[in-house]
Amino acid sequence: FLGLLLFTIVLCVITMQLLSHQATAILSFVHTMKPKVFCWVLTTPGNLPTKATAVKKTWLKRCDGAIFVTSNHNDPSFPAMALGIPEGRDHLSAKSFAAFKYIYNHHLKDFDWFLKADDDTYVIMENLKHFLQGFDSNNPLYFGQYIGDQKHIPVKQGYASGGAGYVLSQEALRRMQEIGMNDTKYQCRQNTGYEDADIGICLEKLNVTLGVSRDNDNQMTFHSFNPLGVLNMDPILGNIYQYTNGDTNVGKEKGEKILSSGTISFHYVDPGTIYLLDFLIYDLNVHQLRGNNKYIWNNNPRRTYKDLLGT
């Protein structure tokens, strides 16, 4: 009997150890899985052939799911949703809340994170997914470029810039729709004309945390200006980029100390620059950095364009 009991105990210990290792392996595998991101882009009917098209042909195709949101739309070849809400800054918040409602109803369980961007935003999706990989979308979180010290905005934790793009976890979206939209005390229906602030107020009241989106060198990854504006420290950036963290005041730093090498987004990017950024990031091959460049008739200086063109 004692022998059988001892054998049973040993077997249980071995089984528990195996299960523990298996659970650790599963958790490790889950942690290394790339999060699924749904992207929605706020645009206007007039911008569909220009700004929206540039976004559609470049970074948007790297999202796991995507849609454009506009006031009215009749082109079935373009993936846009018409909300029937008038154009104008005073209606931006209404559009965003309506878009999130649609996404909640149709895509909540299919994706981990939900990114809102403008039609002049450029997003480096690989960097966004790498950043989000360290967070659990079941927690109430959202990320973007921090905006704080706005005395006229009743939000303690700050809020995320709308133009730079902000991304909500699945749980944040669930709370917005299942709790916030059903009780006016959460202010998830207001439409003040400051869309990003309205979203921030709603999420803070729902105990959704605005997470820090800095890199390990304390540099910013979401940017509400274009690359040249950030690098050249456009005078307005001193007001927009104020974020005190210990002794660090971003508004007094030079552009190169603000711009993270793991940057996720830029704003105020015109269509031509969107195409340029996409080429520089994904297609330009720096010799011996990404591989060896191949040129026509290398090492044959006697070849001419007459030879090439056959003329």
Side-chain angles (χ1 to χ4, degrees):
F1 175 77
L2 290 176
L4 179 61
L5 179 61
L6 181 61
F7 173 77
T8 303
I9 293 173
V10 171
L11 183 62
C12 288
V13 170
I14 293 174
T15 302
M16 290 176 65
Q17 288 180 337
L18 288 173
L19 289 174
S20 176
H21 286 304
Q22 190 176 35
T24 301
I26 292 172
L27 288 173
S28 176
F29 173 73
V30 170
H31 185 70
T32 57
M33 290 176 63
K34 293 291 185 182
K36 295 183 67 176
V37 178
F38 185 91
C39 307
W40 71 272
V41 179
L42 190 60
T43 187
T44 66
N47 286 346
L48 289 176
T50 53
K51 293 182 176 182
T53 295
V55 168
K56 179 185 175 185
K57 289 183 176 180
T58 55
W59 67 264
L60 197 72
K61 62 188 179 184
R62 301 180 187 103
C63 302
D64 298 295
I67 194 169
F68 287 91
V69 172
T70 184
S71 55
N72 55 77
H73 176 64
N74 297 312
D75 184 359
S77 67
F78 207 101
M81 178 179 64
L83 295 173
I85 298 174
E87 293 295 333
R89 187 174 183 84
D90 291 342
H91 303 287
L92 290 179
S93 299
K95 285 183 180 179
S96 290
F97 284 122
F100 278 124
K101 180 179 180 180
Y102 171 86
I103 293 166
Y104 167 82
N105 288 334
H106 294 86
H107 300 294
L108 178 68
K109 297 299 183 180
D110 299 325
F111 301 91
D112 305 302
W113 298 87
F114 303 89
L115 173 73
K116 178 267 175 184
D118 288 347
D119 57 13
D120 58 351
T121 307
Y122 185 87
V123 179
I124 303 167
M125 187 54 55
E126 293 84 354
N127 286 354
L128 175 61
K129 287 189 174 184
H130 177 67
F131 171 77
L132 293 175
Q133 205 169 342
F135 300 93
D136 187 348
S137 62
N138 292 312
N139 291 328
L141 297 168
Y142 85 116
F143 298 96
Q145 185 201 302
Y146 172 91
I147 297 180
D149 196 25
Q150 303 287 323
K151 295 181 180 179
H152 62 289
I153 305 295
V155 57
K156 296 179 181 179
Q157 67 174 351
Y159 60 94
S161 162
Y166 54 81
V167 59
L168 276 64
S169 69
Q170 188 183 96
E171 173 61 14
L173 178 58
R174 187 197 68 79
R175 290 190 183 193
M176 175 191 286
Q177 297 302 316
E178 295 182 8
I179 303 174
M181 299 302 289
N182 294 317
D183 193 329
T184 56
K185 74 178 182 181
Y186 296 106
Q187 296 181 263
C188 292
R189 293 180 179 271
Q190 63 181 5
N191 192 21
T192 66
Y194 296 96
E195 175 263 343
D196 44 13
D198 287 343
I199 295 292
I201 293 169
C202 164
L203 293 176
E204 181 176 271
K205 289 182 177 294
L206 292 167
N207 291 320
V208 174
T209 299
L210 174 61
V212 176
S213 57
R214 299 287 192 98
D215 66 13
N216 289 339
D217 295 319
N218 201 31
Q219 295 172 339
M220 302 174 72
T221 57
F222 289 82
H223 299 278
S224 57
F225 280 78
N226 59 50
L228 288 179
V230 176
L231 286 170
N232 294 332
M233 278 304 294
D234 187 301
I236 197 173
L237 296 186
N239 296 322
I240 299 296
Y241 275 43
Q242 287 179 2
Y243 172 43
T244 301
N245 185 1
D247 295 328
T248 301
N249 188 315
V250 175
K252 296 180 180 179
E253 293 178 3
K254 293 182 179 179
E256 61 269 18
K257 291 186 178 181
I258 292 177
L259 189 57
S260 169
S261 60
T263 283
I264 291 169
S265 72
F266 294 106
H267 186 216
Y268 294 128
V269 187
D270 61 79
T273 305
I274 284 180
Y275 290 120
L276 175 61
L277 283 172
D278 215 62
F279 169 76
L280 293 176
I281 294 171
Y282 296 98
D283 295 325
L284 179 65
N285 184 31
V286 180
H287 183 59
Q288 292 187 338
L289 183 61
R290 292 183 176 176
N292 293 326
N293 289 323
K294 304 295 184 182
Y295 300 102
I296 296 177
W297 292 321
N298 253 1
N299 303 319
N300 192 338
R302 295 183 180 275
R303 293 289 187 179
T304 67
Y305 272 97
K306 291 182 67 176
D307 299 317
L308 176 65
L309 301 175
T311 58

